[in-house]
Amino acid sequence: MSQQKFYITTPIYYVNARPHIGHTYTTVVCDALARRHRMLGDDTLFLTGTDEHGQKIERSAAANGKSPQQFTDEVSAEFRGLWDRLGISYDQFIRTTSPEHKRGVQEMFLLLQEKGYIYKGSYTGQYCVFDELYADDNTPGTPCPVCGRPTETVQEENYFFKLSSMAEPLLKYYEEHPELIYPETRRNEVIAFVKSGLRDLSISRTTFKWGIPVPNDPAHVIYVWLDALCNYATAVGFGSDDAKDKARYDHYWPASVHMIGKEIVRFHCVYWPAFLLAAGLPLPEKIVAHGWLLFEESKMSKSRGNIVRSETILDVLGADALRYFLFREIPFGQDGSFSFDALVQRYNSDLANGLGNLASRTLSMIHRYFEGAVPEAAAKFAGAGEDTACFDPKTAEAAIAGFSQKFDEFNFNGALVDLWSFMATVDDYITKNTPWKLASSAEPEAQEKLRTVLYNCAEALRIITVLAHPVIPDSTKKIYTQLGLGDMAKADLNSLAWGQFQTGTRLGTVEAVFPRADKSAIERMQQMEEERKIAAAPAAEPSAPNTAPVVEGAAPADGHMPLAPQITIDDFVKIDLRVATVLTAEKVEKADKLIRLTVDLGFEQRQIVAGIAKAYAPETLVGRKVVIVANLAPRKLRGIESNGMIVAASFGEHGTPALASFLEEVPNGSRLK
Ligand code: MSP
């Protein structure tokens, strides 16, 4: 047993968005690595959590009519709930709003201050609230270098971190630790970025409150990235006076692997190492950046409406189908594409027909021919040999070594390709030996061959199951139990050598692990995604907010919905609200919230789909005047195109809709201003 420490982290996810398969990707990659290290006997700590401070969260909370604390509590719980449903084996879940984390961040601030790396200065620059990033270019209106959104001009007296003085130490560190940043392309980009010169970094803000106060100067909150990055250290006890926490910190810090998406490389590979070097603290051993998961070739985003939730896949195909797809389909480090078609295809070919088929063939033959007890291989056919019944142990040893090496180098899809090609060798071996024919022969040699073939298949299956366990934990656990091997948690990756399967082991009950999925699975998942989108949207469409200001850090005392962020008149005039009359209305089949309407705008008629069926019977709508958002991009709901949106107030716990209407007679097509 290697008994090494293995401390792995995911990024902590912003709670302004709900979890989707992009977040799941990073998390399952870390989960598989953590599982593999536990199976190697390593002292493993797997950390994940949520990033809950900053202006972006404050604004999202307001837009959702919640206090920041209530909003972060809810979304953080959603992340945690999803990880639990997915069987993510995290050991610790950190929230940046926890008192331990806050104290640790303030300690870090004080430490950097004490070491002379912090000063107060004034700042005018461009800031992207979405990425919580200062643009290098200070020209007003410059787009964010990461997401391209317009930056906002911020002018403040701030605390600054002397990042400019860290360029040389950083370059020296990268040089001396070539293993720090992976893959190589990211390392090269980081070095080029640092070589191009670093400017001091503003590390406090005064224009909003939702953050950790600067020690001794509470008018400032600490820059959200300094706050967030510290989570990796505060989670294991950094900043605590308690002896136990200190010991824990000394034991686990520095982290073995920070796993991140490629868009946050700068924060992890420049800022974080710079803070740590300045504070005199050890740097993480490795920062690994993966690529982006795209949906059918395009970036997933709320505005494109193409975000895929993991829950949909969990409900239809189970967690392992998603996990296997993510590892097998995406060349690690590069961008990869997700689609429901590709998911189902991969599931059927590799899991249902591949592993599932090998397991059910092997297990059912052992049941049929040997009453469910693993037979003994005949000495005569043991090891490599000319006879088709011989199975060269070197094939298995090469598969084990190849898989392990590739997996540990983050080449997950390569590792799985190799393991599945080993599986194909075993399938071939079965086909060549036709055990069903051997079984029907009374010849002693045929019986010896049959024993050997089925022993070898069971042994190969054991090895495949143990190796694949970190990637597809649920199904391998089932196969392992069916093999009669008991508790998979005790499976040890260090003792995988060929020939360990105990003859006479009694198999468990055999059941199909991966039932085949047909086309309807794809349709079901697509439909569920649409329903989820509708459910996540306000019941009808957004209501006019009340007028009281947002109360920070607490739910408004009277329960009113706080105001959405301020907009200008220019923003408002972009929304074209028109009066229309409902001509027809009918319920959308198999969608209990939806009504399909045709409305008359005076100058044209249109079809609109609205989520108001729980509040209105379709026939009561015909002839009624309504207000619609007439210039909203068309979108499909349940396959039906909706060309606009009906305006309604939303009230009560369940967001009951009430259609906006007029006391006066208003002609169709009139604009609301
Ligand atoms: N809160 C910061 C991270 C702070 S870490 C100290 C943040 N949060 S985030 O919610 O935006 O999560 C970003 C991470 O989620 C990415 O780095 C990546 O790990 C994962 N992904 C989110 N969408 C993704 C894809 N579409 N594809 C792959 N991973 C993606 O940034």
Side-chain angles (χ1 to χ4, degrees):
M1 285 219 182
S2 44
Q3 279 294 359
Q4 286 170 11
K5 176 209 85 184
F6 184 70
Y7 172 27
I8 184 164
T9 65
T10 70
I12 45 170
Y13 301 110
Y14 282 132
V15 290
N16 67 309
R18 311 218 118 82
H20 57 70
I21 57 166
H23 306 114
T24 300
Y25 179 52
T26 319
T27 311
V28 297
V29 166
C30 290
D31 182 61
L33 285 163
R35 284 175 186 270
R36 182 167 160 83
H37 279 268
R38 286 191 200 104
M39 289 173 86
L40 285 166
D42 289 346
D43 171 8
T44 303
L45 176 66
F46 171 15
L47 173 75
T48 188
T50 41
D51 188 352
E52 306 185 1
H53 289 132
Q55 195 166 13
K56 177 164 62 170
I57 312 286
E58 192 179 78
R59 287 184 182 176
S60 292
N64 279 275
K66 309 243 160 92
S67 73
Q69 189 61 58
Q70 184 190 6
F71 181 69
T72 53
D73 285 351
E74 283 175 16
V75 185
S76 176
E78 248 186 77
F79 272 96
R80 206 172 170 149
L82 175 62
W83 303 152
D84 291 341
R85 269 203 73 193
L86 264 165
I88 300 297
S89 66
Y90 63 88
D91 298 293
Q92 201 179 332
F93 188 98
I94 188 167
R95 297 187 56 187
T96 54
T97 46
S98 69
E100 300 78 22
H101 173 75
K102 287 186 189 170
R103 182 186 54 201
V105 173
Q106 289 181 326
E107 279 301 317
M108 181 69 85
F109 194 98
L110 289 170
L111 186 58
L112 292 171
Q113 211 165 28
E114 192 186 294
K115 303 244 175 192
Y117 284 95
I118 291 182
Y119 65 93
K120 214 171 184 179
S122 83
Y123 176 78
T124 306
Q126 296 303 122
Y127 191 73
C128 170
V129 177
F130 186 80
D131 285 307
E132 303 281 11
L133 170 83
Y134 296 94
D136 296 325
D137 182 348
N138 278 347
T139 325
T142 190
C144 167
V146 175
C147 68
R149 288 177 173 80
T151 49
E152 295 179 17
T153 305
V154 291
Q155 189 166 33
E156 287 174 83
E157 180 168 68
N158 282 339
Y159 285 94
F160 281 82
F161 172 70
K162 291 185 186 166
L163 186 63
S164 56
S165 69
M166 298 312 293
E168 283 313 312
L170 279 171
L171 290 169
K172 184 162 175 275
Y173 196 93
Y174 302 144
E175 180 75 31
E176 288 167 359
H177 298 84
E179 74 294 345
L180 177 71
I181 302 167
Y182 180 87
E184 186 77 22
T185 44
R186 302 289 166 217
R187 177 171 187 266
N188 295 339
E189 280 166 24
V190 167
I191 293 176
F193 174 75
V194 175
K195 278 191 174 156
S196 73
L198 297 176
R199 287 191 305 145
D200 288 351
L201 182 69
S202 163
I203 52 163
S204 75
R205 303 288 306 275
T206 51
T207 50
F208 65 96
K209 285 264 170 296
W210 186 240
I212 301 176
V214 166
N216 311 316
D217 197 352
H220 293 252
V221 293
I222 295 175
Y223 174 43
V224 65
W225 271 101
L226 172 55
D227 165 348
L229 288 161
C230 286
N231 92 87
Y232 302 130
T234 62
V236 292
F238 175 80
S240 170
D241 296 332
D242 185 273
K244 254 195 179 151
D245 293 340
K246 282 178 185 249
R248 188 161 186 259
Y249 170 76
D250 288 340
H251 180 67
Y252 282 113
W253 191 256
S256 316
V257 175
H258 289 327
M259 179 68 64
I260 57 169
K262 65 178 183 184
E263 82 293 356
I264 52 176
V265 163
R266 186 194 295 187
F267 303 100
H268 283 79
C269 301
V270 181
Y271 296 177
W272 182 224
F275 296 144
L276 290 167
L277 282 175
L281 299 171
L283 267 60
E285 283 156 23
K286 207 169 194 63
I287 304 160
V288 179
H290 62 67
W292 275 75
L293 187 58
L294 310 172
F295 180 71
E296 291 172 351
E297 311 296 328
S298 50
K299 198 168 167 185
M300 279 188 281
S301 76
K302 243 188 190 167
S303 53
R304 283 201 184 99
N306 64 353
I307 285 173
V308 179
R309 312 247 167 244
S310 309
E311 290 87 334
T312 303
I313 302 157
L314 276 180
D315 290 346
V316 176
L317 293 177
D320 283 2
L322 172 59
R323 293 174 68 113
Y324 181 77
F325 178 90
L326 296 174
F327 284 99
R328 172 63 182 79
E329 203 80 2
I330 301 163
F332 188 79
Q334 297 169 33
D335 289 352
S337 206
F338 175 87
S339 76
F340 290 115
D341 283 29
L343 171 73
V344 168
Q345 209 176 341
R346 190 49 84 189
Y347 170 84
N348 279 333
S349 70
D350 292 16
L351 297 178
N353 296 345
L355 179 56
N357 193 35
L358 176 64
S360 80
R361 274 171 115 185
T362 304
L363 294 162
S364 60
M365 285 194 283
I366 296 176
H367 265 287
R368 198 169 317 136
Y369 307 138
F370 297 100
E371 291 169 346
V374 175
E376 187 175 3
K380 182 167 158 190
F381 299 114
E386 287 296 298
D387 197 280
T388 50
C390 296
F391 190 91
D392 190 351
K394 286 210 180 74
T395 321
E397 278 151 24
I400 297 167
F403 178 91
S404 307
Q405 193 194 339
K406 289 194 171 147
F407 200 94
D408 293 338
E409 287 168 354
F410 308 104
N411 178 2
F412 306 116
N413 76 319
L416 291 174
V417 167
D418 286 7
L419 191 60
W420 258 249
S421 100
F422 174 61
M423 213 181 289
T425 312
V426 182
D427 270 329
D428 255 16
Y429 173 72
I430 299 179
T431 313
K432 275 199 195 115
N433 283 287
T434 55
W436 45 94
K437 282 193 191 151
L438 295 172
S440 63
S441 159
E443 289 286 312
E445 177 152 310
Q447 288 301 316
E448 278 179 331
K449 280 192 178 184
L450 180 64
R451 286 196 276 119
T452 308
V453 170
L454 291 185
Y455 176 87
N456 286 340
C457 288
E459 177 58 341
L461 190 57
R462 177 186 73 91
I463 290 171
I464 292 164
T465 308
V466 174
L467 285 175
H469 181 62
V471 176
I472 42 174
D474 290 350
S475 42
T476 47
K477 215 164 142 185
K478 287 185 192 151
I479 299 172
Y480 202 72
T481 312
Q482 295 185 17
L483 279 167
L485 291 168
D487 186 2
M488 183 124 219
K490 298 205 182 93
D492 181 359
L493 274 173
N494 296 297
S495 60
L496 261 191
W498 183 261
Q500 310 262 318
F501 211 132
Q502 291 296 315
T503 299
T505 303
R506 295 215 68 83
L507 304 186
T509 318
V510 180
E511 275 164 33
V513 179
F514 304 108
R516 259 192 81 81
D518 57 22
K519 247 193 147 16
S520 72
I522 302 175
E523 283 158 16
R524 240 178 321 145
M525 287 188 283
Q526 284 166 337
Q527 211 166 63
M528 285 166 80
E529 275 301 290
E530 275 187 12
E531 273 162 25
R532 284 210 158 94
K533 276 173 206 154
I534 297 163
E541 298 307 345
S543 56
N546 293 329
T547 46
V550 179
V551 180
E552 291 184 3
D558 60 359
H560 72 258
M561 179 191 268
L563 272 183
Q566 196 171 64
I567 59 168
T568 64
I569 186 73
D570 295 340
D571 294 325
F572 177 70
V573 294
K574 286 186 196 148
I575 304 168
D576 196 339
L577 297 166
R578 299 290 179 121
V579 176
T581 302
V582 178
L583 298 175
T584 64
E586 61 183 28
K587 283 205 67 170
V588 173
E589 240 179 81
K590 289 195 223 142
D592 52 354
K593 277 191 170 183
L594 295 186
I595 293 186
R596 177 219 292 257
L597 308 133
T598 41
V599 298
D600 183 6
L601 274 162
F603 50 92
E604 68 176 57
Q605 294 182 1
R606 320 196 163 170
Q607 170 171 279
I608 291 181
V609 180
I612 53 174
K614 292 225 159 127
Y616 293 94
E619 57 278 13
T620 62
L621 295 168
V622 177
R624 192 172 164 152
K625 288 268 178 207
V626 288
V627 176
I628 70 162
V629 183
N631 61 338
L632 196 68
R635 86 177 230 215
K636 280 196 169 171
L637 297 172
R638 278 301 182 108
I640 307 170
E641 189 163 290
S642 182
N643 300 295
M645 184 165 101
I646 300 216
V647 176
S650 167
F651 63 94
E653 207 186 321
H654 305 293
T656 307
L659 296 178
S661 52
F662 301 94
L663 295 174
E664 299 80 6
E665 196 45 53
V666 189
N668 288 338
S670 308
R671 185 164 183 190
L672 280 81
K673 318 189 228 186

